[in-house]
Amino acid sequence: QINPMYDFATIDESGDPTQFNWGYDPKNYGVPEGSYSTNPFDGNVRINECKQMIKALHEAGIGVIMDVVYNHTYSVDSCFTAAVPEYYYRMAADGGYSQQSGCGNDTASERAMYRKYMREMLKYWTEEYHIDGYRFDLMGVHDGETMNMIRDDMDAIDPRIVMYGEGWGGNTVYDPTTCSGTATFMTTQSNSSKISTRIGFFNDQIRDGIKGNVFHKDEGGFVQNNSSYAKNISSGIFANTVERFSKDGKSSGKFELNWHAVTPEQCLTYASC
């Protein structure tokens, strides 16, 4: 999994090569970031070198998953705003921008043209650069219908392509009805039953169970002998599926879960970043 590698807004591509940015400041989603290139001022060079990198990793037997951040742009002073002001972003009741992303602007995947943009851009990276999968930053900001469509798009290209992301709930302000006329729902853990079983959710429940709540740094987890987290570990071992089965295949009871994965494939177990 590679951090975002499309064009960043806050890196001076002609500047100090030791500059660093996580890449969560999207500017141009379809352009490789120039600061990684030997010559950022020649588009042919940055494109060719990006493709060479992916090809070399493939030849070494390594698949390439790209972290993608379609939930916000670095600034609302963007190409989207220049095209159709306010259309591509979600607006709050007070006239400001919805900001579950914490970056001042949530994009509106439930609207026809941003949905189209996400689908076509991901197909472009897949077909042109041969990316093998995508990790969606703040996936819970995107509507589930769009994400399911993207999964279908990827399957049509290559069913081995991986999709997973952060299914955290939040307070993004979305249109109640999508552009296709269906009720809008977000790609969150709580909506896992509505999401393709081939889209994975990070399992923060077992993460917190192992090491303690991520927001309370002094609170130990199961590895610090905090037995109150035992249920998190137990359910996580079984991929947050609803029932645990004994060796004879019979149900041995239900877990107490914060969220239910429809299948084990929906649950991405991790301990820390």
Side-chain angles (χ1 to χ4, degrees):
Q1 178 185 301
I2 297 177
N3 275 358
M5 57 189 184
Y6 46 69
D7 189 39
F8 308 158
T10 58
I11 289 286
D12 178 2
E13 295 179 342
S14 65
D16 186 342
T18 64
Q19 292 178 98
F20 177 76
N21 191 306
W22 290 101
Y24 292 88
D25 57 338
K27 184 176 181 181
N28 295 314
Y29 286 104
V31 179
E33 165 58 23
S35 63
Y36 296 136
S37 167
T38 58
N39 182 3
F41 303 105
D42 185 337
N44 291 312
V45 173
R46 68 167 80 190
I47 290 169
N48 188 41
E49 290 178 347
C50 183
K51 290 183 175 182
Q52 285 182 24
M53 173 190 71
I54 295 166
K55 183 174 185 289
L57 288 166
H58 284 167
E59 289 174 348
I62 300 171
V64 178
I65 295 171
M66 182 165 68
D67 189 349
V68 290
V69 187
Y70 289 109
N71 59 81
H72 70 266
T73 55
Y74 171 69
S75 168
V76 293
D77 181 17
S78 65
C79 294
F80 296 128
T81 298
V84 186
E86 298 184 354
Y87 169 82
Y88 287 92
Y89 299 98
R90 294 177 180 150
M91 307 301 293
D94 63 1
Y97 291 88
S98 175
Q99 52 180 324
Q100 180 186 325
S101 67
C103 298
N105 59 83
D106 294 343
T107 52
S109 61
E110 70 276 16
R111 297 178 186 165
M113 294 309 295
Y114 195 65
R115 171 180 288 182
K116 177 180 173 67
Y117 182 85
M118 286 182 65
R119 293 179 68 183
E120 292 192 352
M121 191 54 60
L122 288 163
K123 284 190 286 186
Y124 174 76
W125 278 103
T126 303
E127 294 173 337
E128 188 67 24
Y129 289 87
H130 304 293
I131 299 290
D132 303 286
Y134 300 95
R135 180 265 192 199
F136 289 82
D137 179 59
L138 296 184
M139 186 170 68
V141 172
H142 300 311
D143 75 283
E145 185 176 65
T146 296
M147 291 299 297
N148 287 338
M149 288 179 174
I150 292 169
R151 179 67 266 178
D152 290 341
D153 292 339
M154 296 299 104
D155 283 341
I157 298 170
D158 187 340
R160 296 174 298 177
I161 293 168
V162 176
M163 284 178 60
Y164 59 91
E166 298 175 306
W168 323 138
N171 58 354
T172 187
V173 181
Y174 53 86
D175 295 340
T177 305
T178 72
C179 57
S180 57
T182 61
T184 307
F185 60 92
M186 296 294 103
T187 314
T188 58
Q189 293 172 338
S190 61
N191 286 328
S192 59
S193 64
K194 301 177 183 178
I195 305 300
S196 168
T197 56
R198 295 176 25 71
I199 296 176
F201 296 89
F202 283 114
N203 184 359
D204 54 328
Q205 182 171 315
I206 194 172
R207 175 204 66 191
D208 288 356
I210 293 169
K211 67 181 187 62
N213 189 293
V214 69
F215 298 110
H216 304 129
K217 66 179 182 179
D218 296 326
E219 178 185 297
F222 192 73
V223 294
Q224 284 87 22
N225 204 30
N226 185 343
S227 61
S228 67
Y229 275 118
K231 66 180 184 299
N232 293 52
I233 306 297
S234 182
S235 60
I237 288 170
F238 287 85
N240 274 51
T241 48
V242 175
E243 294 184 325
R244 173 166 50 173
F245 292 91
S246 59
K247 291 181 180 179
D248 62 5
K250 295 180 180 179
S251 173
S252 56
K254 292 187 177 182
F255 289 121
E256 179 182 349
L257 299 178
N258 291 337
W259 68 280
H260 295 161
V262 178
T263 66
E265 289 82 4
Q266 271 193 330
C267 180
L268 190 63
T269 298
Y270 72 109
S272 65
C273 290

